[in-house]
Amino acid sequence: MYMEFLPLVFALVMFAVSAVVAASTRGLGRPVLWFCLGLLFGPFGLLWGLLARPPGRPCRYCREHVRDWALVCPHCTKDLADA
């Protein structure tokens, strides 16, 4: 009786885990939030995790994302203080 829903549940859990992995590799926190988004919205939650921008701003030297409050880029170690 419940075997019809098993592939749907499996697919939703896979979308949820994929959304967590996609968001964590992009530097986004809150894995429980991304798991819930992937579980509730399926492929749209995964797409959101893939397209979401990491917090902060790009470094003007190496173009990697750094936090807004950072004074030195952790990637290229250049000074980011606006003088």
Side-chain angles (χ1 to χ4, degrees):
M1 180 172 168
Y2 295 108
M3 295 302 288
E4 299 91 24
F5 296 112
L6 191 60
L8 177 65
V9 170
F10 180 74
L12 288 176
V13 169
M14 295 293 11
F15 280 124
V17 170
S18 300
V20 170
V21 170
S24 66
T25 57
R26 296 187 50 80
L28 303 169
R30 301 184 178 149
V32 174
L33 171 73
W34 290 106
F35 184 83
C36 291
L37 285 174
L39 191 64
L40 292 175
F41 299 112
F44 298 110
L46 173 61
L47 187 64
W48 193 0
L50 288 171
L51 298 178
R53 291 184 42 197
R57 60 191 161 120
C59 172
R60 61 181 158 228
Y61 301 106
C62 67
R63 308 307 295 167
E64 291 288 334
H65 280 294
V66 295
R67 300 286 182 178
D68 289 330
W69 47 265
L71 299 176
V72 176
C73 176
H75 305 284
C76 66
T77 65
K78 300 270 184 156
D79 186 25
L80 298 177
D82 296 324

